[in-house]
Amino acid sequence: MKGRIGIIGIIRAMGWKGNVRSSKMKVWIIRGTTMVLLWTCLVQLTALGDTWGPSVLKGWPSSSTQDAHLLDVEFLPAAPVRVVPNKRVYQNNGYLMVSCNGGLNQMRAAICDMVAIARFLNVTLIVPELDKTSFWADPSEFEDIFDVNHFITSLRDEVRILKQLPPRLKKRAELGIVHTMPPISWSDISYYHNQILPLIKKYKIVHLNRTDARLANNGQPLELQKLRCRVNFNALRFTPQIEYLGRRIVQRLRQNGPFLVLHLRYEMDMLAFSGCTQGCNPDEVEELTRMRYAYPWWKEKIINSELKRKDGLCPLTPEETALTLRALDIDRDIQIYVAAGEIYGGQRRMADLAAAFPKLVRKETLLGADDLQIFQNHSSQMAALDYLVSLESDIFVPTYDGNMAKVVEGHRRYLGFKKTISLDRKLLVELIDDYTSGSLSWDEFSHAVKNAHSARMGSPKKRVVISDRPKEEDYFYANPEECLQPLETKPVSIL
């Protein structure tokens, strides 16, 4: 107020009233004064921002004070400072489009492979398309699961990645004027350099329509292997929404002590396509068989369930899993987070496991229905939550060595060789059968199980290489040894 009176006094004192030139000066002074006042207000509001808190000025997520607090927990690493690397400048040889196939973790590994291939071919990668036609029929796009902007910017010093083709080429792609092909499985980078790169130079765009296991595990340049790791462990960050809910689950588990994540691969689709029906009644066996025959793309129709089980090719049943965890002396009171979809057979099949380990929980019991509503019918986004919780667990136990089991195992190795129990299913079913038939006492059974798994706890080891049978050798993403810090080998104990 004093400032305003002072200005008016000055105006009057200088005798500007009635003068045209003076009128213009008045307007100029008033405008200047207004700007100063507005700027002062802005500074004051900014200072008040810290008092008002995150819900006003700091953005989502902050649905409540408690939820905002959940993001700042001791056991979770602080969000890294976002540093944008310098852009790599190179002569672009063309554009690579890829359509990933399979579930979340199969696609995750494929994305890492495709980034590495694009980098070594000096081409531009278009953000990968995710599988929407598989059994799960998940309509999620890349940006629904992964932080697409972080993916692009964090790798800009290695490879150029675009969300879509440039307009002229996009029109060509929409008209189908694109060379589409599946690359050969388990290929060396030399295959892509000698066979795929000439096609990219010729057609400008090449679309790879299958991406599962298309790059060899071994024998690749060290720089390529390390880039695969960089994509997997740094560039493929989940969306803030998924990261936030994953942290909430872990925080609620940590409040009650240590926890084990059990990747219990015993959903209907797993049993139908594997043909593993141990413990199922005749009606269930028939239902699973009908489902297998209903999908023409699944080539194996006639399956001997018992033979596959004895060969260690079936997931452990919930009942077999309960016996195994007990034999390993897993604490009965430990929390067990079941990372899985709907277990086939429901409570009937889960009864033994629940009796042996009463603190069984799932994401559906730790989060409210409103939290998970947006993930309904989006299996890959649900799997992403399980992935995050699996990384943070004290122990990770998969009952089948599928893609999630392998990729999580490798990620846990990268995080410091966190305990992952890789079950020897072939030996286990033999020991379980001997125990249930009375051939082994409980003590004999437990001793044999513990002895067999003492060196299968996620400790450092070399990948097994079988050059002429890549499907049978150790998977790169389960043990990316080129990217791991060596640790002193110590005896492994079980909680």
Side-chain angles (χ1 to χ4, degrees):
M1 190 67 181
K2 286 182 179 180
R4 184 180 174 191
I5 293 172
I7 292 167
I8 294 171
I10 291 169
I11 293 170
R12 287 176 176 173
M14 294 183 69
W16 289 344
K17 187 174 181 181
N19 188 296
V20 175
R21 183 177 176 185
S22 299
S23 298
K24 291 182 179 179
M25 185 63 73
K26 281 186 196 178
V27 173
W28 183 86
I29 292 174
I30 292 169
R31 285 178 179 174
T33 304
T34 303
M35 290 299 294
V36 171
L37 290 172
L38 287 174
W39 179 254
T40 303
C41 291
L42 180 62
V43 171
Q44 292 298 322
L45 285 172
T46 305
L48 286 172
D50 290 334
T51 305
W52 289 348
S55 61
V56 177
L57 293 177
K58 295 191 174 65
W60 185 92
S62 182
S63 57
S64 69
T65 304
Q66 181 181 10
D67 285 347
H69 149 75
L70 290 173
L71 289 173
D72 185 23
V73 286
E74 260 184 39
F75 57 87
L76 287 171
V81 177
R82 187 166 184 172
V83 178
V84 178
N86 293 325
K87 185 184 295 186
R88 175 173 169 255
V89 179
Y90 59 94
Q91 180 65 44
N92 180 38
N93 287 321
Y95 295 84
L96 181 64
M97 300 174 63
V98 296
S99 294
C100 300
N101 57 290
L104 173 66
N105 293 288
Q106 182 170 306
M107 292 192 290
R108 183 188 185 101
I111 292 165
C112 300
D113 290 346
M114 294 300 119
V115 169
I117 290 166
R119 162 64 178 82
F120 275 74
L121 298 187
N122 283 333
V123 299
T124 297
L125 177 69
I126 305 305
V127 169
E129 179 187 20
L130 303 188
D131 191 343
K132 303 178 186 64
T133 61
S134 65
F135 168 79
W136 302 277
D138 187 336
S140 298
E141 302 288 354
F142 186 100
E143 58 269 24
D144 296 324
I145 300 174
F146 300 108
D147 185 336
V148 65
N149 292 324
H150 172 74
F151 175 69
I152 292 171
T153 57
S154 66
L155 293 168
R156 70 200 299 261
D157 60 332
E158 293 285 356
V159 64
R160 184 183 182 215
I161 304 174
L162 300 178
K163 292 183 180 179
Q164 58 185 5
L165 288 165
R168 180 176 57 84
L169 295 177
K170 183 180 179 183
K171 187 173 182 180
R172 281 182 54 187
E174 290 171 348
L175 294 173
I177 312 174
V178 175
H179 185 78
T180 300
M181 61 175 290
I184 297 173
S185 299
W186 308 111
S187 295
D188 290 331
I189 192 63
S190 59
Y191 159 79
Y192 290 92
H193 190 272
N194 298 330
Q195 302 294 324
I196 305 299
L197 182 56
L199 294 174
I200 296 176
K201 289 182 175 181
K202 178 180 179 180
Y203 296 104
K204 302 300 180 186
I205 312 169
V206 166
H207 173 217
L208 302 182
N209 57 8
R210 292 192 68 84
T211 58
D212 56 315
R214 304 292 151 159
L215 188 58
N217 293 311
N218 301 291
Q220 306 310 302
L222 180 60
E223 295 81 4
L224 183 146
Q225 300 290 60
K226 288 189 173 182
L227 180 55
R228 294 166 97 176
C229 292
R230 179 179 169 186
V231 181
N232 192 20
F233 304 136
N234 301 114
L236 283 179
R237 181 189 296 171
F238 292 121
T239 64
Q241 189 175 35
I242 292 173
E243 294 268 352
Y244 171 60
L245 285 180
R247 289 174 182 174
R248 282 182 59 190
I249 294 173
V250 174
Q251 193 269 347
R252 290 177 182 181
L253 287 164
R254 282 275 179 245
Q255 286 177 338
N256 298 312
F259 67 97
L260 177 152
V261 166
L262 179 65
H263 183 41
L264 188 59
R265 196 70 173 90
Y266 209 74
E267 300 94 342
M268 184 178 184
D269 64 291
M270 177 69 205
L271 302 183
F273 299 134
S274 67
C276 297
T277 57
Q278 174 75 10
C280 296
N281 61 43
D283 289 340
E284 290 171 335
V285 172
E286 183 180 347
E287 180 180 41
L288 294 170
T289 303
R290 283 200 309 269
M291 180 178 178
R292 184 164 65 253
Y293 275 86
Y295 287 85
W297 47 262
W298 192 260
K299 296 178 182 178
E300 192 178 11
K301 302 297 184 183
I302 301 174
I303 301 173
N304 186 322
S305 175
E306 186 58 29
L307 184 61
K308 284 195 74 171
R309 176 177 176 269
K310 288 188 178 298
D311 284 340
L313 301 176
C314 286
L316 292 185
T317 67
E319 297 87 354
E320 292 168 342
T321 302
L323 284 173
T324 300
L325 295 181
R326 286 179 55 210
L328 287 168
D329 285 342
I330 299 296
D331 188 343
R332 169 181 169 81
D333 291 324
I334 195 172
Q335 300 171 96
I336 295 184
Y337 175 91
V338 180
E342 184 178 354
I343 301 302
Y344 190 65
Q347 293 184 356
R348 174 177 64 85
R349 298 304 303 271
M350 292 291 287
D352 286 1
L353 187 59
F357 299 94
K359 293 184 179 179
L360 290 180
V361 296
R362 302 171 61 97
K363 52 186 168 291
E364 292 83 359
T365 61
L366 295 170
L367 295 176
D370 291 344
D371 294 317
L372 294 174
Q373 184 177 3
I374 57 172
F375 294 149
Q376 295 303 318
N377 302 317
H378 293 81
S379 60
S380 290
Q381 295 182 46
M382 286 285 206
L385 288 176
D386 285 341
Y387 187 96
L388 289 171
V389 180
S390 298
L391 291 185
E392 293 290 341
S393 65
D394 297 280
I395 309 175
F396 177 63
V397 184
T399 60
Y400 185 73
D401 57 350
N403 288 294
M404 177 169 173
K406 292 175 181 176
V407 177
V408 168
E409 178 185 0
H411 204 150
R412 287 172 65 86
R413 287 178 184 274
Y414 178 78
L415 293 174
F417 298 96
K418 300 177 76 171
K419 189 177 299 179
T420 300
I421 305 178
S422 301
L423 300 176
D424 185 340
R425 296 190 308 281
K426 184 175 182 179
L427 177 62
L428 279 172
V429 296
E430 181 181 343
L431 292 174
I432 288 170
D433 289 347
D434 287 343
Y435 169 68
T436 54
S437 68
S439 300
L440 289 177
S441 67
W442 175 258
D443 289 342
E444 291 171 329
F445 170 66
S446 179
H447 176 77
V449 171
K450 283 184 283 190
N451 186 59
H453 292 86
S454 61
R456 300 173 68 94
M457 299 285 176
S459 55
K461 68 171 187 176
K462 290 287 186 181
R463 278 200 308 274
V464 174
V465 179
I466 308 174
S467 57
D468 59 336
R469 297 195 304 270
K471 287 184 180 180
E472 299 176 27
E473 67 184 6
D474 287 348
Y475 190 39
F476 172 80
Y477 291 100
N479 184 16
E481 60 183 62
E482 296 90 339
C483 312
L484 307 179
Q485 295 295 328
L487 291 180
E488 181 183 348
T489 305
K490 298 178 180 178
V492 180
S493 62
I494 304 173
L495 288 180

